[in-house]
Amino acid sequence: MEILAFGVQADEQPLLERAFAGHHEVRCLDVFLNEDTAPIATGYEVISTSVNADLDGRVLESLAAGGTRMIAQRSTGFNNIDLAAAERLGLTVARVSYYSPYSVAEFAWTLAMAVNRRVVRASTRTRDFDFRLDGLMGRDMHGRTAGVLGTGKIGEAFTRIAHGFGMRLLGWDIAENPACAELGMKYVPKEQLLAESDLVTLHVPLMAETRHLIDAAALKSMKDDAILVNSSRGGLIDTAALVDELRAGRFTGVGLDVYEAEAGLFFLDRSLQAIEDDTLARLVTFPNVLVTSHQAYYTEDAVGQIIETTVGNVLDYTAGRRSENVLVPRS
């Protein structure tokens, strides 16, 4: 059987092809799955998608009409998939329930330290042989407070690094993580965490209950000189409200690896096109903001685990097995 994989990055393709070798053939496309590209999947029983695929009801209906029966998403998040429609159409859907939490946690810290120590500005200056220190002053993380919203595997990994810095640890989640508590984390209401933290980082999934978890009110409750980092999902932050606060001169730094309207932008080269998204265009102009293109997960270790699990999900489907990665079982 030949698998059709959408949204495959250049670095990812040889890993996918090597992982499927001896099992199934795989055809890799760099285009993302959406309503316009869904007809390409006609005749393919199994397809694989990336996190930026659009798997709403109309796309799923197109896939089902073309003969697709199984979707293997190469990500942990699945907020882009209409699971109810998939079940109605008899489509099996699987995801990657686990991969290296260190990839995302370490990158979240990369963003935090980059905005704290003005690394991008400093690098740009030295390229022009400008070696002044004006405007480059940062702060020690030691002794300051880290607020971790979401203390699952990634949040725990972030917390361990924060503990290594010697920070006071505050956490918020629906359930406490004993490993974080052992490190000295104190679980508090979200409002207290935002008000007291010098560094706020987001590690919760995106769902109806968490959309705009950081809204205008939450942003206003944060310290004026706080650092905000989001390496989870863009929809957790009300970006328009964030721009308003940045325009008012608030926050030491903001590091964003995700953006709530990133579909159709991230993972693509738009450098020669006009960007119609005024909010993003304004966001990247702030000197204390660093935006990256959803790359926190993008390490050899994490991508290797994602691909290995994806292959396993396809093999489970063809063998009629079901694992914890299955979101909609085979009908």
Side-chain angles (χ1 to χ4, degrees):
M1 181 168 59
E2 185 177 42
I3 315 299
L4 182 62
F6 286 90
V8 179
Q9 303 297 312
D11 296 332
E12 185 183 10
Q13 182 170 341
L15 299 178
L16 261 175
E17 292 173 343
R18 188 159 55 247
F20 270 110
H23 302 293
H24 300 288
E25 295 182 9
V26 59
R27 177 188 175 195
C28 296
L29 303 177
D30 59 2
V31 298
F32 295 100
L33 177 61
N34 54 41
E35 193 171 6
D36 294 329
T37 60
I40 302 174
T42 298
Y44 287 90
E45 180 180 351
V46 177
I47 67 168
S48 178
T49 58
S50 64
V51 68
N52 268 6
D54 181 2
L55 288 160
D56 64 13
R58 291 177 298 180
V59 172
L60 293 175
E61 287 176 1
S62 177
L63 292 174
T68 296
R69 293 293 175 264
M70 193 268 181
I71 299 167
Q73 175 136 303
R74 303 187 307 278
S75 74
T76 297
F78 53 90
N79 55 284
N80 61 319
I81 307 174
D82 186 337
L83 297 180
E87 184 173 11
R88 173 173 54 81
L89 294 164
L91 294 169
T92 299
V93 180
R95 61 154 180 167
V96 177
S97 59
Y98 174 85
Y99 62 86
S100 168
Y102 308 108
S103 60
V104 179
E106 290 172 4
F107 194 81
W109 266 108
T110 300
L111 291 174
M113 295 307 295
V115 296
N116 176 40
R117 301 306 300 269
R118 313 289 196 265
V119 172
V120 174
R121 181 185 296 181
S123 176
T124 301
R125 282 187 185 178
T126 55
R127 284 178 179 270
D128 293 330
F129 294 94
D130 178 353
F131 300 104
R132 292 173 301 162
L133 297 182
D134 297 347
L136 301 183
M137 184 174 289
R139 298 181 297 177
D140 289 359
M141 289 289 102
H142 179 83
R144 286 190 161 82
T145 300
V148 184
L149 293 164
T151 57
K153 292 182 176 65
I154 297 174
E156 178 186 333
F158 186 96
T159 299
R160 291 188 181 280
I161 299 172
H163 180 262
F165 272 104
M167 301 186 75
R168 175 184 176 229
L169 306 172
L170 297 180
W172 175 85
D173 208 326
I174 57 174
E176 296 187 9
N177 183 335
C180 292
E182 289 180 6
L183 293 171
M185 172 172 280
K186 179 182 179 182
Y187 281 84
V188 297
K190 184 185 74 172
E191 295 74 16
Q192 181 181 346
L193 182 149
L194 294 174
E196 297 182 10
S197 295
D198 300 292
L199 166 61
V200 175
T201 182
L202 308 180
H203 301 293
V204 299
L206 178 61
M207 54 188 69
E209 297 81 5
T210 59
R211 179 169 294 278
H212 287 183
L213 180 71
I214 304 299
D215 56 12
L219 290 165
K220 290 185 182 300
S221 70
M222 293 173 60
K223 293 182 177 182
D224 288 342
D225 60 354
I227 293 172
L228 174 63
V229 173
N230 186 10
S231 57
S232 183
R233 289 293 183 268
L236 298 175
I237 296 178
D238 182 340
T239 315
L242 175 60
V243 169
D244 288 340
E245 296 302 310
L246 289 165
R247 189 180 288 121
R250 300 190 64 227
F251 305 134
T252 289
V254 175
L256 304 175
D257 185 51
V258 288
Y259 174 61
E260 59 181 326
E262 68 183 54
L265 289 173
F266 282 22
F267 304 144
L268 300 171
D269 181 3
R270 298 297 192 191
S271 60
L272 299 179
Q273 303 174 26
I275 298 299
E276 299 177 357
D277 189 326
D278 292 338
T279 302
L280 178 60
R282 183 69 180 94
L283 190 64
V284 298
T285 65
F286 292 104
N288 58 334
V289 174
L290 175 56
V291 178
T292 53
S293 53
H294 207 142
Q295 69 182 82
Y297 79 98
Y298 207 54
T299 67
E300 292 180 4
D301 310 82
V303 173
Q305 289 173 328
I306 289 170
I307 290 174
E308 181 181 350
T309 301
T310 299
V311 172
N313 288 341
V314 173
L315 295 179
D316 284 345
Y317 165 79
T318 57
R321 297 187 297 263
R322 180 176 176 178
S323 74
E324 62 179 2
N325 297 319
V326 175
L327 298 170
V328 180
R330 187 171 187 171
S331 58

